[in-house]
Every structure is written in C-alpha cells, then in structure tokens.
Amino acid sequence: MNESTSRQNIKPRRKIVATITGMTVFAIGAIYSSYEISNTEVTIDYRLISPVLFLAAVSALLSAFRFQISGLLFKVEIPYQDAITVISYGTLANLLPIPGALIIRFEYLRKKAGAKRSSLIQVLGILVWFTVGFILLTTITSGPYKVFAITMSTAMSLSSVYVAWRAKMSKMYLLILYLIQISMTLLNIAKLWLIFSILSLSVNLSLPTALAITDIVASTSAIIPSGLGISETAAAAVTAFFEVHPSIGFVVASLNRASTWTTLLALLIFVKLYRGNEKRRTL
C-alpha cells in the first residue's frame, strides 16, 4: 500500500470517527439534559409547537429564496425547486462534523457558474451572515465588546460591498440578500424564544439573540461546523453564560434543530412528489 492510498483511507476513517463522536456527544447531552430537566418544574406547552414549525417552514422557504438570489448575483438562475432541494440536503449534511451545507451549495453553483464564481458567492454569503451576526451582537453587549461588534459589522459589510464591486455583482441583489438574512435571523430569534416558552421558561430576549448568533457562527465557520452535538454543546455554554442551566440550552438547540429537520424533510418530500407528477405528465 503506497502513501497516497494510505492517506485516502485515513480520510474516511476520520469522518467516521468524527461522526461517531458527534453522535455520542449529542446522545450523552440529550440524555443528561432530559434527566436534569425532568428534575425541575419545567412543563411542556404543546400549543406552541405549531407556531414553531410554522416559523421553521417560513425560514426554510426564505433560505431557498436566499440561495436563488445568491445565484442571481452572477446572473445564474436557480429553479426554486432546486433551491429547496440543495438547502434541504445541505442542512441534513450538517449532521456530520463538516460544513456540509457550504460544500453542497458550492458544488451546485460550481456546475452552473464555475469554481471561482461559486467561491465568491460563498464568501459573500459568509460576509453577509457575519455582518448580521455582529449587528445583533451590538444589541446585547456594552462597553468594549459593543465597540468591537460595531467595528466588525462595519468591516464585514464594507468587505461584502467590495467583493460585490470587484466581481461586478448586482448591488440590488446584494441588498436583497441582506434583507433576507436579517429576516431569517429575526425569525430564528422568535423561534428560539417560542421554544423556551414551550418549556414554560420566561427568558430575556438577549438569550435567544445570543443563541441565534451562535447558529450563524456554526453555520458559516469551517472550523466550528454545525455538526450533530457541536451546536447543542455551544448553545449549552452560551445558556450557562446567561446563568440558565446548560441542559436547557442543549434541549432548546436540539428542539430548534428538530423543527428545522421536520420542515425541510417535508419540503423535500413535497418537491420529490411534485417532480414525480411532472414527469408522469410529460410521458
């Protein structure tokens, strides 16, 4: 066995080990958090489950629209059904400790616009996400942290404008991209707040906001991918910082993930059935 073959065999092993590690962390965290919560006076308000799923569905539809707009930055038209499929598979790929969503979006755009343009679109998307994240950070911080957040949000926004200008992208679509991202982030904050309410917990809005920022970092960073168990552990740490038991944060993040999976799977099944019917009609 030569050296190159050995390296190729090591990569799958690393992915398997990373996946098992993530699933183990998630399983242990879920069991422990459920046990801790069962010893508290937390009660479940089932009436709020429908609003959470509704917000998750709206967010998923906006995510597909955002992907369409990303393509239009380079005059690449993406059918809405394709956008839903790519977003759905990408989010499910984030089960693994790799930036699956980024990889799947990159590959789809590479086939339509080339590797360079696909990379620029991904970079621009990350800059937009981080700009919104740092703007949110200014609302829950003070002193030097607020100054840092303002500085970073300004730097990120100017960088996104510069990238769009250098690549001769449409400024109008860049603005729409920002508006969609802001809307999706606000929806996520509302969804997280409702999930706390499902557990009959009254929390300050700054905690769901902090968890939404954690989601942005996890979704856009290749260093901290939103793998199974990783996002939930990060949410537990953030919740503990706000002097709320970390098991609550773990459960909230898990329920947030579950609501996203449920709606995306439903949309994916709908698209598959719709396309199947379309093919039968053309026969």
Side-chain angles (χ1 to χ4, degrees):
M1 184 182 292
N2 56 35
E3 186 178 352
S4 61
T5 306
S6 300
R7 288 178 180 176
Q8 288 175 359
N9 290 334
I10 289 172
K11 288 182 180 179
R13 286 182 208 152
R14 287 178 179 173
K15 289 181 180 179
I16 292 171
V17 170
T19 302
I20 292 173
T21 301
M23 293 176 70
T24 303
V25 170
F26 179 81
I28 293 173
I31 293 170
Y32 173 76
S33 298
S34 299
Y35 174 77
E36 286 293 314
I37 288 179
S38 67
N39 292 329
T40 66
E41 297 180 356
V42 170
T43 56
I44 308 299
D45 189 349
Y46 294 98
R47 297 171 300 173
L48 296 176
I49 294 176
S50 294
V52 167
L53 291 176
F54 173 76
L55 290 180
V58 174
S59 182
L61 294 172
L62 279 175
S63 183
F65 182 49
R66 179 185 62 191
F67 187 59
Q68 276 191 309
I69 296 300
S70 297
L72 289 174
L73 286 167
F74 273 119
K75 299 179 180 179
V76 175
E77 293 187 4
I78 302 172
Y80 195 66
Q81 295 172 16
D82 282 3
I84 290 176
T85 302
V86 171
I87 294 302
S88 299
Y89 281 128
T91 302
L92 293 174
N94 277 340
L95 280 167
L96 304 174
I98 58 171
L102 288 175
I103 293 171
I104 290 176
R105 288 198 300 265
F106 173 82
E107 282 301 310
Y108 180 90
L109 290 169
R110 182 185 63 79
K111 293 175 183 178
K112 286 183 168 289
K116 183 178 180 180
R117 288 184 172 183
S118 180
S119 299
L120 285 173
I121 291 172
Q122 296 301 315
V123 169
L124 187 63
I126 291 172
L127 288 172
V128 170
W129 282 4
F130 271 111
T131 299
V132 174
F134 279 115
I135 290 173
L136 280 178
L137 194 59
T138 64
T139 66
I140 61 173
T141 53
S142 59
Y145 297 106
K146 194 181 191 74
V147 173
F148 170 76
I150 293 172
T151 303
M152 290 303 297
S153 62
T154 303
M156 291 289 178
S157 62
L158 290 176
S159 296
S160 68
V161 172
Y162 176 76
V163 169
W165 173 70
R166 287 286 296 176
K168 298 180 180 179
M169 296 179 181
S170 168
K171 308 304 184 293
M172 181 187 71
Y173 287 130
L174 176 61
L175 176 60
I176 294 173
L177 200 63
Y178 265 108
L179 293 175
I180 295 172
Q181 185 58 49
I182 291 170
S183 300
M184 288 178 60
T185 305
L186 293 177
L187 279 173
N188 195 29
I189 292 172
K191 184 153 63 88
L192 287 163
W193 183 82
L194 280 175
I195 292 173
F196 276 108
S197 300
I198 286 176
L199 300 175
S200 302
L201 295 170
S202 179
V203 296
N204 190 290
L205 198 59
S206 53
L207 177 51
T209 301
L211 292 178
I213 295 171
T214 304
D215 278 351
I216 291 175
V217 174
S219 298
T220 56
S221 175
I223 300 173
I224 314 173
S226 55
L228 186 64
I230 297 175
S231 293
E232 289 78 10
T233 303
V238 170
T239 308
F241 180 79
F242 281 83
E243 298 182 350
V244 177
H245 200 286
S247 61
I248 298 293
F250 197 99
V251 169
V252 167
S254 300
L255 292 174
N256 192 29
R257 185 191 285 273
S259 69
T260 301
W261 286 350
T262 302
T263 53
L264 285 174
L265 280 172
L267 287 172
L268 191 58
I269 291 170
F270 176 79
V271 169
K272 292 291 184 182
L273 291 174
Y274 179 81
R275 283 182 167 173
N277 289 332
E278 286 291 306
K279 286 182 180 179
R280 282 192 289 271
R281 288 176 187 173
T282 58
L283 293 177

